[in-house]
Amino acid sequence: MSAEEDLLLLDTDCANLPNGANGANGDDHIDTPLPVREAVLESKKDRDVKVGDHLLALWRPEEDDWREVAIIDKKKDGTSFYVHWVDFNRRLDAWIDRARLDLDTTRERLREVRERKRRWDEFTHEDHEHEGLLEADLKEHEELTKVKNVNKIQFGKYVLETWYFSPLPREIWKAGDDVIEKLYMCEFSLSFYKTQAELERHLKRHTMRHPPGDEIYRNGVVSVFEVDGEKAKIWCQNLCYLAKMFLDHKYLYYDVDPFLFYIICEHDDQGFHMVGYFSKEKESASGYNLACILTLPQHQRKGYGKFIISLSYALSQIEGKKGSPEKPLSDLGRVSYESFWARRLLLILRDIRNNPRTENRMVSIKALSDRTSFTLDDIKNTLDRLQILQYSQGQYYINVNPKIIDYHLQRCGGEGVAVDAAKIHWTPHTHVSKWLR
């Protein structure tokens, strides 16, 4: 099948809907004349839990839910342990008390838990954000960033719990320092401070209340600024340090010159408050229109993720290019993109299906690409994932049965914060070849 080939849109009532539409074993004490009960208590009290051990730990106490954890670090007195919950994303790594560990975890119990997790993954066809990373790079990354160095950050009026390690400047934190319980950050200059008093002194001197770039979009309270990484290097580096606290795999900290940063803000009489951002290479040999995307935790689930994605494609349409996000995507990024691609394509296909002229119910993947600025691969992969690109009697067709379309649209969620393309005031940049990467 070629991208230019027109695909017939069929309302196939008889087509099937997608799935869902309808430790210690006691050998060391074999000669010890102690009652069994006392031996168990002894092992729980005195067992030396080591970094690298895998045990069961209480995940949700109210449900007596035990999950596998890997011990990443521990306090010198052995009362608290920094653990990775094996079933979950690293953003949930945390310090837990010794009392939450099952110190008598057996290999049989671990095998049972792992088998249950394996069966669940096969059922859900779960994807992971580590896809696309070399195994050696992944191990090195996880070793360097295995323990968070900041627990909380004061950002404007919000106190945010961080998710991941961030390689902060040495004057703020360096290897061997204690974990910072609370770090203070100016939401306008993105400068870091160790105390509230330092931040307050800074705010009295700092008068700029918006990102250091050009405002390219304003609609109601939502504004977008374009910031050049070469012109505002320190600001953009600090933005990357902040982003790394909420993104697992992000290697851009110092080399910000080849990137443009698009900062999404909500504005009021106090200034322009950052909601999130995305970055893109000034020149991308791979055709990426987005390198990194983040919606800050306090603004998630408000529709800004889809706004950011929609804006990146609106800029691609102004440039007359097809675009795709840089891989691998974070877990949240993957969910947002798959939902965005599916919703946009499904609405277009529904409109074509409703055309009163049967001969006009034809569309090619290339035509869909021209209309959306999505790449051909992203479109085909989305149609395959939705199970609506089908083949019968020597011909490809798209199944636009209303029940199937409505089913998928419900799973995609809403549009999010809409982008009004008429309010984008932006001209594509002309960059020199030195930015090709």
Side-chain angles (χ1 to χ4, degrees):
M1 180 190 65
S2 67
E4 292 81 6
E5 179 181 347
D6 281 337
L7 302 175
L8 181 64
L9 273 66
L10 294 182
D11 183 355
T12 311
D13 292 326
C14 62
N16 293 327
L17 294 178
N19 294 334
N22 300 339
N25 59 20
D27 291 344
D28 294 338
H29 306 291
I30 194 169
D31 295 324
T32 304
L34 291 174
V36 173
R37 181 179 299 253
E38 292 183 20
V40 171
L41 291 175
E42 183 89 346
S43 66
K44 276 182 174 266
K45 177 180 178 181
D46 296 335
R47 174 173 176 175
D48 182 20
V49 179
K50 301 181 179 64
V51 172
D53 285 354
H54 282 244
L55 303 171
L56 294 181
L58 196 55
W59 167 247
R60 289 180 293 190
E62 68 277 6
E63 298 184 17
D64 195 32
D65 186 5
W66 294 84
R67 302 295 181 102
E68 181 181 358
V69 298
I71 306 298
I72 305 299
D73 200 359
K74 66 178 185 178
K75 299 287 189 183
K76 292 181 179 180
D77 60 6
T79 59
S80 298
F81 299 85
Y82 193 81
V83 302
H84 167 62
W85 300 91
V86 175
D87 293 356
F88 300 99
N89 186 279
R90 290 208 310 153
R91 78 168 65 92
L92 298 179
D93 293 1
W95 289 97
I96 65 172
D97 294 334
R98 185 184 182 91
R100 289 178 63 182
L101 293 174
D102 180 0
L103 300 181
D104 288 324
T105 299
T106 64
R107 294 178 181 178
E108 289 73 19
R109 285 288 310 281
L110 281 177
R111 277 199 293 268
E112 290 176 6
V113 170
R114 290 167 181 170
E115 178 63 19
R116 184 177 63 194
K117 177 66 165 56
R118 184 189 64 78
R119 290 196 300 267
W120 174 254
D121 286 350
E122 289 179 352
F123 175 73
T124 59
H125 306 286
E126 181 176 335
D127 287 314
H128 297 285
E129 65 182 286
H130 299 158
E131 179 184 350
L133 287 177
L134 296 176
E135 183 177 357
D137 292 338
L138 180 59
K139 288 183 178 179
E140 180 184 9
H141 169 81
E142 291 184 346
E143 178 63 27
L144 292 173
T145 65
K146 60 184 180 181
V147 179
K148 289 192 301 184
N149 51 348
V150 177
N151 284 333
K152 297 177 183 178
I153 184 166
Q154 177 83 45
F155 191 78
K157 64 181 180 180
Y158 299 99
V159 176
L160 310 177
E161 291 191 6
T162 63
W163 297 349
Y164 302 111
F165 172 92
S166 180
L168 295 166
R170 290 180 60 84
E171 61 269 21
I172 300 297
W173 184 91
K174 61 183 181 296
D177 288 352
D178 292 336
V179 175
I180 299 174
E181 182 59 32
K182 189 174 183 180
L183 187 63
Y184 299 85
M185 189 174 193
C186 173
E187 63 173 324
F188 302 114
S189 70
L190 301 191
S191 301
F192 292 103
Y193 298 96
K194 292 185 176 181
T195 68
Q196 178 76 38
E198 291 176 342
L199 174 61
E200 290 175 354
R201 286 197 299 270
H202 163 79
L203 289 173
K204 292 177 181 179
R205 301 191 308 268
H206 186 78
T207 58
M208 188 175 73
R209 292 293 185 266
H210 61 78
D214 298 323
E215 187 177 13
I216 66 168
Y217 179 88
R218 181 179 294 194
N219 187 12
V221 299
V222 179
S223 289
V224 179
F225 289 80
E226 180 187 71
V227 181
D228 189 328
E230 186 178 17
K231 297 178 180 178
K233 183 175 297 188
I234 300 301
W235 194 93
C236 293
Q237 287 176 348
N238 287 347
L239 174 62
C240 292
Y241 293 133
L242 172 66
K244 182 60 188 71
M245 296 178 186
F246 306 103
L247 297 173
D248 192 3
H249 292 106
K250 180 175 176 56
Y251 296 98
L252 170 66
Y253 312 120
Y254 307 106
D255 187 18
V256 296
D257 290 11
F259 291 86
L260 294 169
F261 296 80
Y262 295 87
I263 316 302
I264 291 77
C265 301
E266 290 180 348
H267 61 84
D268 57 22
D269 56 358
Q270 300 297 314
F272 293 80
H273 309 280
M274 186 189 304
V275 167
Y277 85 99
F278 77 93
S279 61
K280 64 182 292 187
E281 292 177 285
K282 295 174 180 176
E283 290 289 347
S284 173
S286 302
Y288 295 136
N289 66 352
L290 183 146
C292 180
I293 178 174
L294 172 70
T295 303
L296 291 172
Q298 70 270 30
H299 295 291
Q300 290 177 3
R301 306 187 68 83
K302 295 181 180 179
Y304 280 113
K306 290 182 179 178
F307 173 87
I308 293 173
I309 297 172
S310 182
L311 179 64
S312 71
Y313 280 108
L315 298 184
S316 292
Q317 287 186 314
I318 294 174
E319 291 178 299
K321 298 178 179 179
K322 309 299 186 292
S324 185
E326 187 174 320
K327 312 300 188 301
L329 291 166
S330 68
D331 57 337
L332 297 179
R334 181 189 297 275
V335 170
S336 296
Y337 263 96
E338 290 183 348
S339 173
F340 177 83
W341 286 328
R343 189 177 192 279
R344 180 71 65 87
L345 292 173
L346 289 168
L347 290 176
I348 292 173
L349 294 174
R350 187 175 66 179
D351 289 343
I352 296 175
R353 173 193 174 276
N354 292 335
N355 193 304
R357 298 177 64 87
T358 304
E359 61 271 21
N360 291 334
R361 295 179 189 171
M362 303 281 288
V363 67
S364 68
I365 290 181
K366 184 177 184 303
L368 291 173
S369 178
D370 292 339
R371 188 164 173 177
T372 60
S373 288
F374 299 172
T375 64
L376 301 176
D377 285 342
D378 288 338
I379 292 174
K380 186 178 184 304
N381 291 338
T382 299
L383 297 179
D384 285 339
R385 182 170 52 82
L386 297 176
Q387 302 177 31
I388 62 175
L389 180 60
Q390 300 178 1
Y391 184 83
S392 178
Q393 298 179 355
Q395 182 180 15
Y396 283 97
Y397 68 94
I398 300 175
N399 187 354
V400 289
N401 179 289
K403 292 181 180 179
I404 293 179
I405 298 297
D406 290 343
Y407 165 76
H408 285 303
L409 282 174
Q410 289 176 2
R411 291 170 61 88
C412 290
E415 179 185 12
V417 178
V419 173
D420 185 347
K423 296 184 177 180
I424 298 176
H425 302 283
W426 182 79
T427 302
H429 296 272
T430 301
H431 300 290
V432 296
S433 59
K434 72 173 182 176
W435 297 125
L436 283 174
R437 297 163 66 87

